[in-house]
Amino acid sequence: MARPTKEGIEYFSFDVDFFSDIKVKKILRACGAKGIAVLVNLLCNIYRDHGYYMQWDDEIGFLVSDEVGANESIADEVVQKAVQVGFFDKELFDKYQILTSKGIQTRYLKATYQRKDNAINEDYNLIQNDLKKESHEKSSNSYEKHANNPVNHSESTQSKVKESKGNKSKVSSSEQPGDESVLNSVQSFQQLWNFPNMVQQNTLMEFIDLYGDGLVDAAIKVAGSKDVNKSKSIAFIESCLKEWSDANVKTIEQAREYQRTRNTKRQSNYQSQPTRKEELPNWAKDDYEQSQEQEDPEVLAEVERKRQEYLKGAK
């Protein structure tokens, strides 16, 4: 009897920046500390059972709540909030009542790339075909190295490069030019700050969906030119993309021109700032005349003494 095919994975990476994710912060504020325990439990169930999704219903909600020692209502609140803020995909939840996301599916494919059958159900698939294919060939080695994965691989880097080149030669001419930019964004990020963690991968995917692959890559390079450190990289990239969006910047060339104009304006404003001019007090000026109200000889003598001392020091 053949052994049943394993769907889930035995472990997954948990990033130190998990609590820095704005979505997690919103869930924490809305549902409290037990809500985070529920959220982590959901991730464990997703990766353990099917690997990239889990079915959600009242019975599952009871089991999850029981495992973390929380009220049954909290599990449902966490799921609703997580869907609302985009931690889980809303469209698939509304249509199929499943919990999944693009980031979860990406990590699943990278963790199971050596399996013969790790395909994602087409109805649930949130990943572009090019990213799915390249994640098998290019990203698996780097991802597992940076995630400290103890699994040894029999395939060499050289063989993967050859396979990648062979696949590239078969790409049809109708492939959209934006397909390669997804990898460019991740590769640019990796060159500057090493491989993005789970939270950063999710956020980068959202940026790509909102602003386009090319602009995300351009924003990453702007961050690199300003020596932004990894802990502040996502916040800087988001700020840059929003600024471009507000300025109606839609192409890489427009982004470059915007940055050039922005830098020129800053330099011009700095150079045009007025310099402060030091003014002498009235009593230190050569044409100073004592007002008629000051008639006390001692006061007049003290003022004159200070004036002379000031003038001597200024020479």
Side-chain angles (χ1 to χ4, degrees):
M1 180 177 178
R3 191 168 69 178
T5 303
K6 181 179 178 62
E7 288 188 73
I9 56 180
E10 295 180 354
Y11 59 88
F12 65 98
S13 61
F14 191 86
D15 299 290
V16 295
D17 292 332
F18 178 79
F19 290 98
S20 299
D21 188 349
I22 187 64
K23 298 173 186 175
V24 175
K25 289 183 177 180
K26 289 180 179 179
I27 296 171
L28 175 61
R29 176 169 293 185
C31 305
K34 286 191 176 180
I36 299 303
V38 170
L39 191 64
V40 174
N41 184 278
L42 292 173
L43 291 174
C44 291
N45 278 281
I46 289 171
Y47 287 115
R48 180 187 61 211
D49 295 339
H50 296 290
Y52 61 92
Y53 80 95
M54 70 176 289
Q55 201 75 38
W56 180 253
D57 54 37
D58 293 339
E59 184 177 347
I60 296 296
F62 170 79
L63 294 175
V64 170
S65 299
D66 184 65
E67 287 181 353
V68 301
N71 293 330
E72 186 175 352
S73 60
I74 292 182
D76 188 63
E77 289 176 11
V78 171
V79 168
Q80 296 299 328
K81 189 64 179 180
V83 170
Q84 178 188 341
V85 301
F87 191 91
F88 297 124
D89 187 80
K90 185 178 187 305
E91 183 178 351
L92 291 181
F93 179 78
D94 292 341
K95 189 173 182 180
Y96 299 107
Q97 288 294 294
I98 66 167
L99 302 178
T100 188
S101 72
K102 187 177 291 186
I104 290 172
Q105 294 181 11
T106 300
R107 286 186 291 279
Y108 168 76
L109 288 177
K110 289 174 180 176
T112 61
Y113 80 101
Q114 287 185 321
R115 293 183 184 176
K116 291 183 179 179
D117 183 13
N118 68 339
I120 293 177
N121 186 318
E122 288 299 324
D123 293 332
Y124 303 161
N125 197 338
L126 296 169
I127 304 175
Q128 297 177 9
N129 289 332
D130 64 315
L131 181 59
K132 177 181 176 182
K133 179 179 65 177
E134 296 292 346
S135 67
H136 284 251
E137 300 167 357
K138 291 186 176 181
S139 301
S140 55
N141 245 14
S142 177
Y143 178 84
E144 295 187 9
K145 176 182 176 182
H146 288 280
N148 295 322
N149 193 330
V151 179
N152 293 322
H153 307 291
S154 58
E155 298 181 41
S156 67
T157 304
Q158 184 177 359
S159 65
K160 291 189 178 189
V161 172
K162 289 181 179 179
E163 182 183 353
S164 177
K165 289 182 178 179
N167 288 339
K168 282 186 178 180
S169 65
K170 298 178 183 178
V171 175
S172 65
S173 59
S174 62
E175 186 177 53
Q176 296 181 358
D179 291 346
E180 198 68 23
S181 299
V182 176
L183 288 174
N184 288 341
S185 299
V186 176
Q187 288 172 352
S188 295
F189 191 100
Q190 183 176 355
Q191 289 171 1
L192 289 169
W193 304 294
N194 294 326
F195 203 83
N197 59 38
M198 180 178 70
V199 176
Q200 292 165 338
Q201 286 182 58
N202 286 341
T203 309
L204 285 174
M205 289 296 184
E206 292 175 5
F207 290 165
I208 291 170
D209 288 340
L210 286 173
Y211 302 104
D213 307 330
L215 286 181
V216 173
D217 187 47
I220 291 173
K221 290 175 180 176
V222 172
S225 69
K226 297 183 180 297
D227 294 326
V228 176
N229 61 46
K230 186 176 182 178
S231 63
K232 299 180 180 178
S233 59
I234 293 296
F236 182 93
I237 294 167
E238 181 178 18
S239 175
C240 190
L241 290 169
K242 285 184 177 179
E243 184 176 339
W244 290 348
S245 178
D246 292 341
N248 201 30
V249 172
K250 297 181 179 179
T251 66
I252 298 176
E253 187 55 42
Q254 288 176 347
R256 289 173 182 164
E257 182 61 31
Y258 180 87
Q259 289 299 121
R260 283 194 291 266
T261 304
R262 186 175 184 270
N263 293 337
T264 302
K265 286 182 178 179
R266 279 194 169 187
Q267 186 176 6
S268 176
N269 291 338
Y270 176 78
Q271 293 176 347
S272 62
Q273 288 180 355
T275 56
R276 181 181 175 185
K277 187 175 181 181
E278 191 72 27
E279 291 285 345
L280 290 174
N282 290 333
W283 53 264
K285 297 178 181 179
D286 291 334
D287 59 350
Y288 173 75
E289 292 183 1
Q290 180 64 41
S291 65
Q292 295 298 322
E293 296 178 359
Q294 286 185 321
E295 296 178 354
D296 190 336
E298 293 182 1
V299 174
L300 293 174
E302 181 65 18
V303 171
E304 181 61 23
R305 184 183 66 78
K306 288 183 178 180
R307 192 172 80 90
Q308 293 299 328
E309 288 179 358
Y310 182 86
L311 294 173
K312 286 179 182 180
K315 290 182 179 180

